[in-house]
């Protein structure tokens, strides 16, 4: 696999291969020296045009644990502030012959465009409302550890589905692994016709009790150009997950960042049923597995690299 652009391009076998590899990296993370030489000498560039805490930090740490050289560029403070286009930015960064570019953009399709402008592998770290594939993979990894097989499991995705790239990637990923997905939220925040993707839709939480997993979404105010709900208070009254709505056997997930008191009540965020911190932990090993998949899993040296000395074969499990 050269690029990771979208869950919609992944087969179930590819998903399972990445999750299996993430498990072996979890073992590396339990060692005193949490570093392997797999990507020694490779350069990874993180290009983030939107804010991020979890995705950016975990891709950075993942690259370092694989011994890659990593550099992160945020739009604010870069030449983007002077009007440089995405295409010119990618051409500039490609001059350093990176092995991979990890890109987050507010524009749907940006990662796919970047993949056409560079020889580097491209990983989509979130493109507008389109997809956030590494989030969906880390959520699958978290659930595999928490509930085992997803075959026949009922997962409710609750909240602002309309603006959520996480919802789109997750529903595709959960469906691919055999789960039954229901999308729930106000009619204004559920895209029309989304049932065509093989999901159920609910406009209230009356049947929430049937869910094995409740996956909540952030209200994405920054993407809302108009008012989709009468008020956040009213939204919270109808859709907030609190200790009355979350049953004792249900697991709770959220991709973060959480708007405390809006989509989630504080008592469930910090409850034993919450997998939110586990999701963050999973992000590191899954992103190591993604970098491995697109870089060590390929036989695709760049034109310049072909003239350079042969490096060590990719290995998992040896300390750097
Ligand atoms: N879930 C997620 O993408 O979080 P960040 O915006 O902090 O990266």
């Amino acid at each position: 696999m050269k690029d990771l652009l979208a869950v919609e391009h992944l087969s179930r076998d590819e998903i399972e291969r990445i999750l299996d590899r993430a498990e072996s990296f979890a073992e590396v993370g339990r060692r005193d020296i949490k570093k392997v030489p797999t990507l020694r000498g490779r350069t990874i560039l993180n290009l983030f045009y939107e804010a991020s805490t979890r995705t950016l930090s975990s891709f950075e740490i993942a690259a370092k644990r694989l011994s890659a050289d990593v550099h992160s560029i945020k739009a604010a403070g870069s030449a983007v502030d002077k009007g440089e286009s995405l295409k010119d930015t990618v051409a500039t960064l490609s001059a350093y012959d990176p092995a991979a570019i990890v890109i987050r953009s507010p524009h749907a399709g940006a990662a796919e465009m970047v993949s056409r402008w560079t020889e580097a592998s491209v990983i989509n770290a979130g493109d507008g409302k389109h997809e956030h594939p590494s989030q969906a993979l880390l959520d699958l990894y978290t659930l595999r550890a928490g509930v085992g097989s997803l075959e026949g499991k009922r997962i409710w995705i609750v909240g602002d589905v309309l603006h959520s790239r996480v919802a789109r990637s997750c529903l595709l990923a959960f469906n691919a692994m055999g789960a039954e997905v229901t999308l729930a939220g106000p009619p204004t925040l559920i895209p029309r016709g989304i049932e065509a993707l093989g999901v159920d839709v609910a406009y209230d939480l009356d049947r929430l009790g049937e869910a094995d997993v409740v996956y909540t979404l952030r209200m994405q105010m920054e993407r809302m150009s108009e008012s989709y709900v009468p008020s956040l208070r009213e939204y919270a009254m109808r859709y907030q997950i609190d200790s009355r709505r979350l049953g004792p056997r249900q697991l709770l997930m959220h991709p973060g960042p959480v708007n405390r008191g809006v989509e989630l009540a504080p008592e469930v965020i910090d409850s034993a049923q919450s997998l939110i911190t586990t999701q963050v932990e999973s992000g590191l090993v899954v992103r190591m597995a993604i970098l491995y998949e697109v870089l060590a899993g390929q036989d695709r040296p760049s034109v310049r690299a072909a003239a350079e000395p042969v490096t060590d074969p990719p290995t998992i499990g040896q300390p750097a």
Side-chain angles (χ1 to χ4, degrees):
M1 186 187 304
K2 175 185 174 278
D3 306 308
L4 177 66
L5 301 178
V7 172
E8 66 188 321
H9 301 152
L10 296 180
S11 67
R12 185 168 176 158
D13 282 352
E14 287 172 321
I15 291 172
E16 283 177 346
R17 189 170 68 222
I18 292 169
L19 302 187
D20 289 345
R21 193 160 282 134
E23 256 175 38
S24 46
F25 285 130
E27 189 277 316
V28 172
R30 289 190 285 274
R31 298 179 191 167
D32 288 341
I33 298 172
K34 305 177 193 308
K35 202 160 177 166
V36 288
T38 312
L39 298 184
R40 193 166 58 203
R42 317 290 286 275
T43 299
I44 294 169
L45 299 176
N46 295 320
L47 178 58
F48 274 58
Y49 284 81
E50 277 188 338
S52 171
T53 297
R54 282 148 281 267
T55 312
L56 180 57
S57 61
S58 58
F59 267 118
E60 275 188 3
I61 299 168
K64 287 175 182 169
R65 288 203 175 174
L66 293 169
S67 301
D69 298 314
V70 59
H71 184 67
S72 296
I73 303 111
K74 295 178 189 165
S78 75
V80 172
D81 282 348
K82 302 175 190 168
E84 189 164 46
S85 70
L86 177 60
K87 189 171 185 180
D88 287 345
T89 302
V90 169
T92 300
L93 297 177
S94 296
Y96 304 132
D97 196 22
I101 296 176
V102 181
I103 170 136
R104 170 168 287 191
S105 164
H107 303 296
E112 199 273 332
M113 278 197 297
V114 171
S115 74
R116 286 191 259 125
W117 296 331
T118 182
E119 279 185 41
S121 287
V122 174
I123 297 169
N124 181 5
D127 61 331
K129 295 189 281 182
H130 177 225
E131 279 227 32
H132 192 350
S134 64
Q135 178 70 46
L137 290 168
L138 75 86
D139 290 329
L140 286 180
Y141 181 85
T142 303
L143 282 171
R144 192 162 82 161
V147 301
S149 167
L150 286 192
E151 208 67 57
K153 292 284 186 313
R154 286 166 297 189
I155 303 179
W156 277 52
I157 300 177
V158 180
D160 180 3
V161 176
L162 183 68
H163 299 99
S164 177
R165 55 197 176 206
V166 172
R168 186 174 161 78
S169 288
C170 279
L171 76 86
L172 294 169
F174 296 159
N175 267 353
M177 305 309 278
E180 294 169 18
V181 178
T182 299
L183 305 178
T188 49
L189 291 175
I190 305 282
R192 254 176 231 281
I194 197 147
E195 293 92 336
L197 294 178
V199 295
D200 280 338
V201 166
Y203 297 123
D204 57 51
L205 300 184
D206 293 352
R207 293 187 296 112
L208 186 71
E210 68 189 39
D212 299 296
V213 178
V214 179
Y215 193 108
T216 49
L217 299 170
R218 183 171 66 87
M219 286 289 275
Q220 300 202 27
M221 301 306 183
E222 75 277 18
R223 297 194 205 282
M224 294 186 191
S225 53
E226 54 191 281
S227 181
Y228 288 85
V229 291
S231 69
L232 283 183
R233 192 165 166 275
E234 186 148 335
Y235 174 82
M237 278 170 54
R238 294 202 60 195
Y239 297 100
Q240 183 186 86
I241 304 301
D242 58 16
S243 55
R244 290 173 304 126
R245 289 193 170 125
L246 189 70
R249 62 164 194 86
Q250 293 179 313
L251 294 174
L252 176 70
M253 300 179 78
H254 190 296
V258 173
N259 291 320
R260 278 182 182 255
V262 180
E263 64 266 11
L264 288 178
E267 75 266 14
V268 295
I269 298 171
D270 305 318
S271 71
Q273 290 155 264
S274 169
L275 296 177
I276 296 171
T277 304
T278 311
Q279 288 173 267
V280 177
E281 287 170 17
S282 303
L284 176 53
V285 291
V286 168
R287 286 172 175 131
M288 287 174 79
I290 290 168
L291 290 172
Y292 184 98
E293 177 72 24
V294 300
L295 296 178
Q298 68 181 349
D299 181 20
R300 197 183 58 87
S302 72
V303 175
R304 289 182 209 183
E308 291 169 2
V310 176
T311 54
D312 294 344
T315 49
I316 294 181
Q318 294 174 8

